[in-house]
Amino acid sequence: MIFSQSKNYYFLLIFVALILSGCSRKKEDAKSDIEILLEKRYEKLLTYSVDSLAFPRSYSYKANAIKKVPSKDWTSGFFAGNLWHLYSLTGNQDYIEKAEEWTAFIEKEKFNNRTHDMGFKVYNSFGNGLKIKENKRYKNIIVESAKTLSTRFDENIKSIRSWDFNKEVWQFPVIIDNMMNLELLFEATKISGDSSFHKLAVTHANTTLKHHFRPDNSCYHVVDYDTLTYQPRMKVTHQGINDESSWTRGHGWGIYGYTLAYRYTKDTRYLNRAIATAEYFLNHKNLPKDGIPYWDFDDPAIPNAPRDVSAGTIVAAAMVEIYGYTQEEKYLDYSKKVMTSLKSPDYILAADFDAPFILDHSTGNWPKNDEIDEPIAYGDYYFLETLIRLKNIN
Ligand code: GLY
């Protein structure tokens, strides 16, 4: 009797163990399905044929075609950046070869003084290449680009001019996105020993600190400066829903920009700025539960407004770094949440979708009805960067 009871007990234990192992195998299978899907997406970037005149920027569902841009476009550096990131993530040397090819085509931008977007173009390509291996040529290109970008700095306004268009309306527009150029300037000083780039970056960061942020810690997209008084003459938007709204990607640039400014200066005003805007973002009533923001927190169409995966990945990448400085788990939790949400077939493009992108659902320019709810290269870029940052802290 005792024997048969213990035998039953024994069988019951085996039964429970089998059920449990079945469950955990299912979980592992689900995880590896996503990893397999991601690998298939990564390969789409690797096998995309090289064309120096056409950097893949996004996929237009309307046109049923990949939107391709020349190197002068602000997004050109992201594709090469994605390939450098993929090497860091996978260790597959083939990505280096492709990254080098795509990166080379951006070199001529080092002399392009007609826009401020030097950081996005040159730093995301050549700068990421330098993180992988020493390259004197890349270093020279970064210094040359910093010199060109410096020509857009105004000593009186104490800022780098962002755009040259819309001259009938704006005198000296500076956008929050401009903070993303500072990494290139800080690095140019480290490479060359010429402190002027570092000083210029600090001056720009201080001016933006003074004028771009609202009392509730959200930020304006565009501050236009008066070229006679050197003071702000209007604070408006170009890509948000209205001048007083919170365009989420702009907030991403602000959080990321001040986090990197702290990295190079250790000026706590910059870290505090990044944290205050990160808090505004995290606590916003319109931030969805899965962490992937709507394109603008103030779109009245919420919850039916389009998301912007790129805004979520930019903030996620920045928050891993903020966690590194503060050890506050909530920043890391947000980054992990965004990665968990994105690692799903809701966001990852189908394995056979023929375009060199990873994620769907970014929104480029809503007011212009351009790139709404589509795969966009810079959404992928900050997704991969966040994965690398999380891997490194682990
Ligand atoms: N200018 C960069 C952006 O559209 O976010």
Side-chain angles (χ1 to χ4, degrees):
M1 181 71 184
I2 291 172
F3 174 74
S4 112
Q5 256 182 6
S6 63
K7 207 163 105 187
N8 285 347
Y9 185 64
Y10 178 70
F11 281 127
L12 185 70
L13 272 182
I14 291 181
F15 182 68
V16 170
L18 281 175
I19 300 248
L20 286 178
S21 84
C23 286
S24 78
R25 220 181 9 253
K26 252 189 203 155
K27 257 193 197 163
E28 274 166 25
D29 288 346
K31 189 176 165 226
S32 61
D33 282 352
I34 287 296
E35 294 309 326
I36 289 165
L37 176 58
L38 274 176
E39 272 166 24
K40 288 200 170 134
R41 293 310 319 159
Y42 296 169
E43 260 172 43
K44 293 277 180 194
L45 277 72
L46 186 63
T47 54
Y48 186 69
S49 49
V50 178
D51 177 351
S52 64
L53 298 175
F55 293 80
R57 169 178 162 141
S58 59
Y59 188 88
S60 166
Y61 289 117
K62 262 191 272 174
N64 215 359
I66 297 167
K67 179 175 174 178
K68 300 171 189 177
V69 290
S71 66
K72 68 177 182 191
D73 188 87
W74 77 272
T75 63
S76 63
F78 289 108
F79 191 68
N82 285 341
L83 293 163
W84 289 117
H85 281 348
L86 282 170
Y87 169 71
S88 297
L89 269 180
T90 64
N92 177 349
Q93 295 280 336
D94 295 347
Y95 286 109
I96 294 194
E97 209 175 295
K98 269 289 165 81
E100 283 172 339
E101 285 180 273
W102 281 97
T103 296
F105 300 132
I106 295 170
E107 178 170 353
K108 68 175 191 280
E109 293 309 309
K110 68 185 179 189
F111 294 128
N112 182 353
N113 64 358
R114 293 182 301 281
T115 163
H116 71 145
D117 286 317
M118 204 62 104
F120 288 134
K121 291 187 276 190
V122 173
Y123 198 72
N124 291 354
S125 49
F126 293 97
N128 277 311
L130 269 182
K131 288 178 200 161
I132 305 295
K133 54 182 184 177
E134 174 67 20
N135 187 323
K136 204 158 182 282
R137 186 173 166 76
Y138 283 16
K139 286 184 172 173
N140 291 339
I141 290 166
I142 287 172
V143 175
E144 201 60 56
S145 303
K147 280 185 197 158
T148 301
L149 181 61
S150 303
T151 63
R152 297 185 65 81
F153 181 77
D154 185 287
E155 292 286 349
N156 297 309
I157 293 169
K158 300 186 191 314
S159 240
I160 302 163
R161 182 188 182 108
S162 289
W163 291 327
D164 293 347
F165 62 87
N166 215 7
K167 279 191 169 143
E168 58 293 350
V169 179
W170 294 327
Q171 293 184 8
F172 191 99
V174 177
I175 62 175
I176 188 68
D177 326 24
N178 203 330
M179 285 297 298
M180 298 299 285
N181 284 309
L182 304 191
E183 193 166 11
L184 175 119
L185 294 172
F186 287 128
E187 284 293 332
T189 288
K190 281 174 72 176
I191 293 167
S192 65
D194 177 350
S195 62
S196 69
F197 306 121
H198 183 106
K199 283 185 191 142
L200 194 148
V202 166
T203 309
H204 180 90
N206 289 343
T207 307
T208 301
L209 193 63
K210 212 152 132 196
H211 299 303
H212 257 84
F213 292 87
R214 306 185 181 110
D216 67 0
N217 296 315
S218 65
C219 67
Y220 287 100
H221 182 204
V222 187
V223 174
D224 185 39
Y225 292 90
D226 190 308
T227 50
L228 295 177
T229 65
Y230 318 132
Q231 293 306 307
R233 56 188 288 275
M234 56 168 102
K235 297 186 179 188
V236 292
T237 196
H238 188 62
Q239 279 159 263
I241 200 158
N242 63 56
D243 292 342
E244 292 301 323
S245 80
S246 295
W247 172 51
T248 52
R249 193 163 66 253
H251 285 65
W253 299 140
I255 297 166
Y256 194 118
Y258 277 97
T259 307
L260 80 84
Y262 174 75
R263 186 196 314 154
Y264 288 96
T265 61
K266 296 293 172 243
D267 183 334
T268 51
R269 289 175 311 148
Y270 299 159
L271 183 60
N272 291 341
R273 179 69 275 159
I275 290 173
T277 303
E279 287 292 328
Y280 171 87
F281 189 96
L282 283 181
N283 297 317
H284 202 286
K285 67 176 179 10
N286 285 339
L287 181 66
K289 283 209 165 24
D290 70 356
I292 312 302
Y294 297 103
W295 75 279
D296 191 307
F297 278 136
D298 297 295
D299 186 339
I302 289 173
N304 299 315
R307 304 287 187 101
D308 182 7
V309 160
S310 75
T313 56
I314 293 160
V315 176
M319 286 208 194
V320 182
E321 189 171 352
I322 295 177
Y323 165 75
Y325 302 135
T326 60
Q327 296 299 303
E328 290 231 38
E329 294 286 337
K330 61 184 165 180
Y331 302 122
L332 193 58
D333 289 347
Y334 174 76
S335 306
K336 286 182 176 169
K337 177 158 75 179
V338 169
M339 292 303 104
T340 306
S341 302
L342 294 179
K343 283 184 176 184
S344 119
D346 292 343
Y347 285 101
I348 303 173
L349 294 162
D352 59 353
F353 184 78
D354 199 15
F357 305 106
I358 302 164
L359 300 171
D360 204 351
H361 306 304
S362 284
T363 293
N365 195 333
W366 189 91
K368 285 211 164 81
N369 195 22
D370 187 25
E371 298 177 324
I372 312 292
D373 203 7
E374 291 179 351
I376 302 185
Y378 49 86
D380 293 346
Y381 179 92
Y382 294 99
F383 170 71
L384 296 173
E385 187 174 80
T386 308
L387 292 179
I388 294 167
R389 288 181 174 195
L390 287 171
K391 190 171 120 180
N392 289 343
I393 61 164
N394 283 339

